[in-house]
């Protein structure tokens, strides 16, 4: 006879009696003051990124393992995970004095493998995906008599995660309109929803997924579990192809709404969290904040109170460059354009003057990529700061009015991901070219000073600039300078007063950029 499904009242008891505080801390619930002012709503951040393993996952893992019998603990536990759950199981096993076998895909970054080993876990690398690792873990479980600790589809794991909601409602007893929760397999949202709907049912529980990993939202809409053919890996902490049976049942009944967010919005949210906390969360950890911003923009709410669970901070350092790059576009603080400029003397200066006279006040150029390729027209890739969302179409229209054909690339994935880094190449038109690296001060007028001092006979054949957030910018410029003009050009460089390095003899330039 099948066990009767647990109800919110049953889960309430399990959450109230959950054992998590042997290993977990009661994380802070902090106001995001800057974000709250900007959104005209109160945003509270539940700091699960500050747990000992930088994630909420140890709550559920420890609660599950603390319920095991002495005989089961003597045999040991096993799990399949490439991330935060693995560390939660390893730490819990160390605390309980039991053996923990962690099966991880062979593609797992070494950083995460070492983190699990440092906590005492026995790492077994197997397969190329989580599914491969899970299948191998199930085989080892039977072979060695181990107890499997599921990352999300287990009532004791769900109850452990539910203690987060218990803390939120205790820490904030005033008005609370909604709690936003990232969803991977559904363990966190199931625990949170059970507690909130049992204690304060008027508080909305909003599940958050990325557009390329929205298995739960699709499953609830279809009224049955849907297996995704593929998942996006940017928010790897929530990249799950198939949600759990129990978590699907709970989410279908108790989650009020699902919101999907994209990569750019998540990057912008990572920056928002950093501005308010000076901490960097992982992509999955910022999804709830991204959803709050989207929710406010869509519903035009004011004066409401929202809580976002920052569920993890296991961010690979080498991802930060991508995050910083995409955060500006995600917040639409940067707009990207392809602009066609006549290939004639003075047209570059005219274009720069047009940028300085755009409606809404002065804007910084964040990026400028150009390589001479046509005798009559120049194709320029340019990035500009904006004053708010939805400005890019108006800026594009303004360029067109001034005679520059313009394509708005702000929401073009190919342009953002690849093309911006590929503008250039060899050009038969770039004769007598000298290549120089300059350091410009990041202040208005620095580029115009350069253009105004430039000799009228020297054509710009290459220009590359990207704002890196410092108080100076690195700029690469190709100038067509006939040999007879070299003395005058050298005097120009001295007069300019900006640090420079000549790269005309650089073999990299000869290989990739110099005219044949």
């Amino acid at each position: 006879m099948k066990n009767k499904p647990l109800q919110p009242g049953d889960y309430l008891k399990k959450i109230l009696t959950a054992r998590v505080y042997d290993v977990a801390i009661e994380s802070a619930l902090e106001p995001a003051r800057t974000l709250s002012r900007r959104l005209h709503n109160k945003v509270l951040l539940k700091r699960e990124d500050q747990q000992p393993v930088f994630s909420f996952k140890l709550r559920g893992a420890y609660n599950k393992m603390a319920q095991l019998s002495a005989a089961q603990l003597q045999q040991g536990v096993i799990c399949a995970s490439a991330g935060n759950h693995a560390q939660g199981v390893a730490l819990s096993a160390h605390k309980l004095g039991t053996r923990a076998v962690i099966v991880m895909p062979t593609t797992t970054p070494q950083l995460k493998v070492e983190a699990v080993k440092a906590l005492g876990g026995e790492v077994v690398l197997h397969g190329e995906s989580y599914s491969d690792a899970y299948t191998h873990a199930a085989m080892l479980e039977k072979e060695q008599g181990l107890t499997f600790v599921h990352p999300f589809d287990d009532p004791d794991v769900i109850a452990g995660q539910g203690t987060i909601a218990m803390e939120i409602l205790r820490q904030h007893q005033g008005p609370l309109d909604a709690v936003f929760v990232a969803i991977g397999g559904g363990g966190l949202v199931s625990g949170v929803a059970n507690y909130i709907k049992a204690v304060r049912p008027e508080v909305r529980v909003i599940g958050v997924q990325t557009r390329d990993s929205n298995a739960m939202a699709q499953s609830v809409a279809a009224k049955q579990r849907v297996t995704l053919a593929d998942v996006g890996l940017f928010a790897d902490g929530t990249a799950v192809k198939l949600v759990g049976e129990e978590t699907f049942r709970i989410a279908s009944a108790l989650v009020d709404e699902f919101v999907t967010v994209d990569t750019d919005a998540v990057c912008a949210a990572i920056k928002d969290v950093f501005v308010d906390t000076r901490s960097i969360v992982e992509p999955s950890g910022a999804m709830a904040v991204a959803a709050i911003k989207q929710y406010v923009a869509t519903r035009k709410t004011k004066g409401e109170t929202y809580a976002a669970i920052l569920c993890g901070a296991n961010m690979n350092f080498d991802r930060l460059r991508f995050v910083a790059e995409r955060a500006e576009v995600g917040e639409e603080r940067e707009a990207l354009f392809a602009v066609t400029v006549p290939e004639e003397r003075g047209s570059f200066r005219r274009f720069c003057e047009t940028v300085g006279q755009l409606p809404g006040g002065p804007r910084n150029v964040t990026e400028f990529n150009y390589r001479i390729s046509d005798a009559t027209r120049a194709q320029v890739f340019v990035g500009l700061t904006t004053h708010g969302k939805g400005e890019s179409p108006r800026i594009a229209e303004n360029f067109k009015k001034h005679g520059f054909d313009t394509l708005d690339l702000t929401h073009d994935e190919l342009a953002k991901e690849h093309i911006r880094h590929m503008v250039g190449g060899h050009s038969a038109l770039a004769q007598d070219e000298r290549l120089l690296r300059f350091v410009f001060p990041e202040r208005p007028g620095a580029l115009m000073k350069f253009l105004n001092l430039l000799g009228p006979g020297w054509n710009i054949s290459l220009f590359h600039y990207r704002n890196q957030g410092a108080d100076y910018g690195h700029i690469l410029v190709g100038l067509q300078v006939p040999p007879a003009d070299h003395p005058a050009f050298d005097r120009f460089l001295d007069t300019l007063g900006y640090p420079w390095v000549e790269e005309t003899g650089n073999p990299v330039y000869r290989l990739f950029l110099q005219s044949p």
Side-chain angles (χ1 to χ4, degrees):
M1 182 176 157
K2 197 172 180 182
N3 290 337
K4 185 181 173 186
L6 295 173
Q7 298 306 306
D10 302 317
Y11 269 107
L12 177 64
K13 291 175 189 170
K14 289 179 77 68
I15 292 166
L16 289 171
T17 57
R19 287 182 58 187
V20 300
Y21 299 109
D22 291 348
V23 291
I25 62 166
E26 178 170 319
S27 59
L29 185 68
E30 300 174 355
R33 291 187 172 86
T34 303
L35 184 61
S36 297
R37 280 195 301 271
R38 210 168 85 227
L39 298 182
H40 306 290
N41 289 279
K42 188 173 186 179
V43 179
L44 303 171
L45 305 177
K46 182 61 171 163
R47 300 295 306 277
E48 285 300 290
D49 58 305
Q50 294 184 333
Q51 291 293 351
V53 295
F54 308 105
S55 159
F56 74 96
K57 284 283 192 178
L58 80 170
R59 292 176 183 260
Y62 187 82
N63 187 52
K64 166 68 177 176
M65 292 162 65
Q67 317 289 332
L68 299 179
S69 67
Q72 288 173 310
L73 287 174
Q74 192 171 4
Q75 285 292 106
V77 299
I78 188 168
C79 76
S81 170
N84 297 337
H85 180 61
Q87 294 182 59
V89 170
L91 179 64
S92 300
H94 179 74
K95 183 72 177 177
L96 292 164
T98 188
R99 176 189 179 211
V101 178
I102 317 290
V103 185
M104 309 178 89
T106 55
T107 53
T108 304
Q110 193 61 29
L111 181 79
K112 293 185 177 181
V113 174
E114 295 303 327
V116 171
K117 287 181 178 177
L119 293 166
E122 297 176 27
V123 175
V124 176
L125 296 174
H126 183 87
E128 293 187 356
S129 68
Y130 170 77
S131 300
D132 295 337
Y134 179 87
T135 303
H136 190 65
M139 185 189 77
L140 292 178
E141 174 194 5
K142 291 184 177 65
E143 279 182 5
Q144 301 182 26
L146 304 168
T147 300
F148 193 83
V149 182
H150 201 282
F152 48 82
D153 205 27
D154 182 293
D156 289 324
V157 171
I158 291 168
Q161 322 304 25
T163 57
I164 295 171
M166 178 178 72
E167 291 172 12
I168 290 172
L169 297 190
R170 186 168 64 239
Q171 291 165 318
H172 178 80
Q173 297 181 3
L176 182 61
D177 294 281
V179 177
F180 290 74
V181 191
I183 299 178
L188 177 59
V189 78
S190 295
V192 168
N194 268 305
Y195 189 86
I196 286 176
K197 293 307 177 184
V199 177
R200 286 187 61 182
E202 79 282 3
V203 177
R204 289 171 63 77
V205 176
I206 299 178
V208 187
Q209 297 198 282
T210 54
R211 289 178 185 169
D212 51 9
S213 300
N214 62 342
M216 184 65 85
Q218 285 195 35
S219 298
V220 171
K223 296 184 168 52
Q224 62 180 10
R225 289 196 300 159
V226 172
T227 303
L228 301 183
D230 208 356
V231 288
L233 295 178
F234 175 63
D236 54 348
T238 49
V240 172
K241 291 183 180 180
L242 178 66
V243 300
E245 286 185 33
E246 177 69 349
T247 58
F248 166 68
R249 180 187 73 82
I250 294 167
S252 300
L254 301 180
V255 175
D256 295 286
E257 186 179 339
F258 296 91
V259 173
T260 56
V261 294
D262 63 18
T263 295
D264 289 346
V266 172
C267 290
I270 291 171
K271 182 176 179 180
D272 290 319
V273 172
F274 176 79
V275 168
D276 265 311
T277 67
R278 296 301 186 269
S279 297
I280 295 173
V281 294
E282 65 187 81
S284 298
M287 282 166 54
V289 170
I292 288 175
K293 292 166 66 183
Q294 189 170 303
Y295 186 88
V296 169
T298 304
R299 305 203 173 207
K300 314 292 184 196
T301 61
K302 282 192 176 182
E304 294 196 342
T305 301
Y306 308 122
I309 298 173
L310 305 186
C311 55
N314 285 299
M315 166 75 93
N316 290 341
F317 184 80
D318 51 13
R319 276 191 175 183
L320 293 177
R321 184 191 313 174
F322 175 85
V323 170
E325 192 88 18
R326 299 294 287 264
E328 299 303 299
V329 178
E331 193 54 46
E332 289 191 39
R333 297 188 187 108
E334 180 186 42
L336 303 176
F337 306 94
V339 182
T340 302
V341 179
E343 193 62 82
E344 59 190 37
R345 306 245 183 249
S347 61
F348 184 37
R349 182 188 281 113
R350 186 162 65 85
F351 173 71
C352 291
E353 288 168 349
T354 304
V355 170
Q357 295 161 9
L358 286 169
R363 298 161 196 278
N364 290 329
V365 175
T366 57
E367 181 160 8
F368 198 101
N369 289 318
Y370 157 70
R371 179 62 162 142
I372 188 169
S373 59
D374 186 280
T376 58
R377 298 184 308 167
Q379 303 297 339
V380 175
F381 185 100
V382 63
L384 297 172
T385 57
T386 61
H387 303 306
K389 291 198 172 190
E391 280 194 346
S392 62
R394 294 197 297 274
I395 295 172
E397 205 54 46
N398 198 272
F399 282 146
K400 290 174 187 174
K401 282 181 186 172
H402 284 80
F404 301 111
D405 284 344
T406 303
L407 187 62
D408 185 356
L409 303 176
T410 305
H411 303 289
D412 188 297
E413 198 65 27
L414 176 63
K416 292 184 289 187
E417 188 76 30
H418 297 289
I419 298 299
R420 74 192 311 169
H421 305 295
M422 299 172 71
V423 177
H426 298 284
S427 174
L429 297 175
Q431 298 301 316
D432 297 327
E433 185 176 61
R434 287 180 65 174
L435 189 74
L436 295 106
R437 281 191 294 118
F438 290 95
V439 177
F440 280 22
E442 286 285 9
R443 61 170 180 260
L447 177 57
M448 289 309 293
K449 176 185 175 183
F450 175 85
L451 295 174
N452 288 330
L453 288 173
L454 194 62
W458 307 326
N459 184 50
I460 294 175
S461 50
L462 179 148
F463 200 96
H464 176 261
Y465 160 72
R466 175 67 183 156
N467 186 315
Q468 301 295 343
D471 55 1
Y472 54 85
H474 292 278
I475 296 172
L476 185 68
V477 184
L479 290 157
Q480 291 177 275
V481 184
D485 285 1
H486 283 188
F489 185 73
D490 293 338
R491 286 195 297 274
F492 153 72
L493 293 174
D494 291 338
T495 306
L496 184 63
Y498 296 156
W500 59 272
V501 175
E502 180 141 12
E503 297 285 10
T504 309
N506 191 314
V508 173
Y509 165 60
R510 291 202 299 272
L511 279 170
F512 294 104
L513 294 171
Q514 196 170 38
S515 59

